[in-house]
Amino acid sequence: MRQVPSFDELLSSATRSAVHLEMRDVYAVVEEAGELKLWRSGRWTLDDGRRALGEWMELVASVAKRGVAVRRARIVSEPVTDYIKYEHALTPLNVRAGEEVRWLPRRQALGIPLPAADFWLIDDRLVRFNHFSGAGEAVEPEMSEDPKIAALCSSAFEAVWNAAVPHDKFEV
């Protein structure tokens, strides 16, 4: 495993593809706590999300404008958690920035061999694993350039992607 670059460095290094597989039903990311609380209050708007995701949207837009395919797939339990409802409400911003996003109910993923952690896969060669505590807090990520690990992640992502529902057709 190698040192983990920032998301700016990681996505900026992509030349063809940047794919992200998310498999948790709850994330407890410190940076999202305020916005998630606002969303739960019922006063949240997409403009609030736009302010919170502004830097991310700019990064994704710059990568997509270079012709890099940016795709995100989410495996979710049903009924979905409040956190997944929040993510679903935010997802139009990801799409506007240039990401393609699909959703797969967990029961439909049972036959897909999956790595044990969420990941980003860059150009089918470089993997960033995002690790989380049991409560959903982000813990130290890892990187790998092992071709076997990259192949597993690529295969897993493509299987999920092919079985998943596009964002605009997935209802929470």
Side-chain angles (χ1 to χ4, degrees):
M1 300 287 171
R2 60 178 261 198
Q3 184 175 351
V4 180
S6 70
F7 278 114
D8 282 1
E9 294 169 317
L10 184 68
L11 292 178
S12 295
S13 74
T15 59
R16 294 182 329 279
S17 65
V19 301
H20 185 37
L21 182 61
E22 295 177 353
M23 297 182 281
R24 294 186 57 91
D25 290 315
V26 176
Y27 294 88
V29 179
V30 173
E31 296 84 6
E32 294 177 343
E35 187 181 357
L36 183 56
K37 184 177 179 181
L38 180 64
W39 178 83
R40 283 188 172 129
S41 77
R43 297 179 316 220
W44 180 89
T45 68
L46 207 50
D47 284 336
D48 294 313
R50 191 174 289 111
R51 282 188 289 278
L53 288 180
E55 287 181 28
W56 177 254
M57 291 174 60
E58 288 176 20
L59 174 60
V60 169
S62 71
V63 172
K65 283 179 186 169
R66 289 190 291 108
V68 175
V70 183
R71 298 183 293 159
R72 180 185 305 253
R74 293 177 171 136
I75 298 174
V76 296
S77 298
E78 291 182 312
V80 299
T81 62
D82 279 351
Y83 184 86
I84 294 302
K85 291 176 184 176
Y86 160 72
E87 274 195 331
H88 191 269
L90 274 175
T91 299
L93 299 174
N94 296 80
V95 172
R96 283 186 203 149
E99 284 187 58
E100 289 183 75
V101 180
R102 292 187 182 178
W103 303 80
L104 182 64
R106 192 168 309 282
R107 288 181 178 272
Q108 294 177 28
L110 294 179
I112 300 173
L114 298 165
D118 290 10
F119 63 84
W120 276 94
L121 175 62
I122 306 300
D123 295 331
D124 289 321
R125 63 169 184 78
L126 177 66
V127 184
R128 175 194 164 117
F129 289 103
N130 297 323
H131 295 293
F132 297 89
S133 71
E137 295 106 355
V139 296
E140 195 66 33
E142 290 183 66
M143 295 291 292
S144 175
E145 292 184 84
D146 181 322
K148 290 179 184 172
I149 292 174
L152 168 67
C153 291
S154 179
S155 174
F157 183 86
E158 293 304 327
V160 169
W161 187 258
N162 290 331
V165 177
H167 172 71
D168 61 348
K169 297 196 178 1
F170 186 77
E171 295 182 23
V172 295

